[in-house]
Amino acid sequence: MVKRLTLVAAVWALAASAAAVPASAQYMYLDVNGDGVCNSSDVVDPSVSSVDVYVDTNHHADGTIASCAGPEGDFSIYSYTFILRWTPLGPGAFSYGGWTDNLGFPVNAGGRTAGNDMWLARASSSPLPPGHYKLGTLNVTVSGPGALSLLATDPTLDTTALTSFGSPCPGLDFDDTIKLGSDFLDSCGTSWNGLAARTTWEKIRATYR
């Protein structure tokens, strides 16, 4: 009984700590059915051949406006990077294909695929103004059920791998990089079994991964 109470207390402490993390409240998400939003209808199955990745640089997931906590700068975007993880939910295979950038960002700033994880980064010398953007489209090959999620970091891929975007806003680390898991917590992956793709626990887990 003592062990169970200790575990419950630890989970609540973790949730409270995550809630206390300062957040600029940007939002990055995946879409597979072409409607431009992420919800329980975004399910990856063998009929899916591509995944769109979006970011809203200056709004929460609920649409309210985010503000830069630094003394200067805004949420313009001049680079992006994201990490995806495929979690199989049955027999079958999954593979990552080519990426088509939608922002006109020409610089390959990093990337690697290993096992079920993929990291990709692009940059530009010409920033785009704050807003809601489709970053691009990733081709995928699917032959079994599973789900895609966005990870905050993944040192098994690369010690510099992040889900983030470059911005004139300094961010919590004063490095002009707005990071999932510290600067913001709102992210949304694909769903399975009709469950909502984004949950509080998934945010907490991404923060402390």
Side-chain angles (χ1 to χ4, degrees), residues 63-165:
T64 54
I65 297 174
S67 59
C68 178
E72 59 184 20
D74 61 20
F75 290 126
S76 300
I77 177 173
Y78 54 77
S79 68
Y80 62 84
T81 174
F82 60 86
I83 305 165
L84 296 179
R85 170 165 292 172
W86 171 254
T87 302
L89 300 171
F94 176 91
S95 62
Y96 297 101
W99 171 253
T100 301
D101 170 79
N102 192 56
L103 300 188
F105 284 11
V107 179
N108 184 343
R112 187 179 174 222
T113 300
N116 291 330
D117 296 356
M118 189 206 75
W119 166 53
L120 184 144
R122 293 289 185 274
S124 173
S125 60
S126 301
L128 296 174
H132 178 226
Y133 292 102
K134 176 181 172 181
L135 298 179
T137 301
L138 178 69
N139 291 330
V140 296
T141 301
V142 188
S143 64
L148 278 171
S149 56
L150 287 156
L151 304 187
T153 62
D154 190 346
T156 63
L157 282 172
D158 192 284
T159 56
T160 64
L162 298 170
T163 292
S164 65
F165 65 93

Side-chain angles (χ1 to χ4, degrees), residues 45-56:
D45 58 34
S47 69
V48 171
S49 60
S50 63
V51 178
D52 296 329
V53 183
Y54 284 82
V55 68
D56 194 330

